[in-house]
Every structure is written in structure tokens, then in C-alpha cells.
Amino acid sequence: QGFKPVVPTEYSPDLIFGTSRPSPAFPATEPYLGTNKVVDLQRIFQRTDGLPVHLKLGYPDRLLYRTTMALTIGGTIYCLIALVIASQPRKQ
């Protein structure tokens, strides 16, 4: 008996991996077959404007970077304060 094949055996879709253009077997409206943004992102990230890579995309990157730095510095200060408090002997 076995399982019935989902796709008929006489139909084999074209390979979509390793090709630079969408396969004609799939419509172009599929969400994973959008436009290729790699070239545009390469152009942005390879500019010589003096910015580090993690800040090249503008405001969202700056916001994430500053938030991360604030949380890191705040966490370090909190840990140091907790260590100072823990190192003090308890009063009886």
C-alpha cells in the first residue's frame, strides 16, 4: 500500500536553489521570491563614510546601539553596587 505521493511523479518542479531568477513553476507573488536586496545592502555597507558596520543603516541602528550600551553600563553599575552591599558585614 504505502503513502500516495503528494506531487504526481511525472511533474517535477524546477530547482529554485542555486538559481538567480525565480523558477517558472512558481508564481512571482510568493513571499520568499521577492526582489534581490543583496546588491543594495552591499552598496550601503561597503561605503567609505567612516561609520562602523553596525551603525550603517541609520537611526534604527543608532537607537539599538545606544540602548544596548545604556543597558550594559547600567547593568555593570548595578552589579558593582550589589557587590559592595554584599561585601559589607551585617549589623547585629
Side-chain angles (χ1 to χ4, degrees), residues 37-80:
K37 298 179 185 177
V38 173
V39 176
D40 296 331
L41 290 174
Q42 283 178 342
R43 195 173 298 122
I44 290 171
F45 285 111
Q46 291 177 352
R47 275 190 306 214
T48 56
D49 53 4
L51 287 175
V53 172
H54 58 274
L55 295 176
K56 291 263 186 184
L57 289 182
Y59 183 74
D61 284 345
R62 283 193 308 254
L63 182 66
L64 284 171
Y65 176 75
R66 289 178 181 165
T67 302
T68 303
M69 285 298 111
L71 288 172
T72 302
I73 292 170
T76 302
I77 292 171
Y78 178 76
C79 286
L80 291 174

Side-chain angles (χ1 to χ4, degrees), residues 23-34:
S23 173
F26 295 105
T29 58
E30 292 291 327
Y32 61 90
L33 294 176

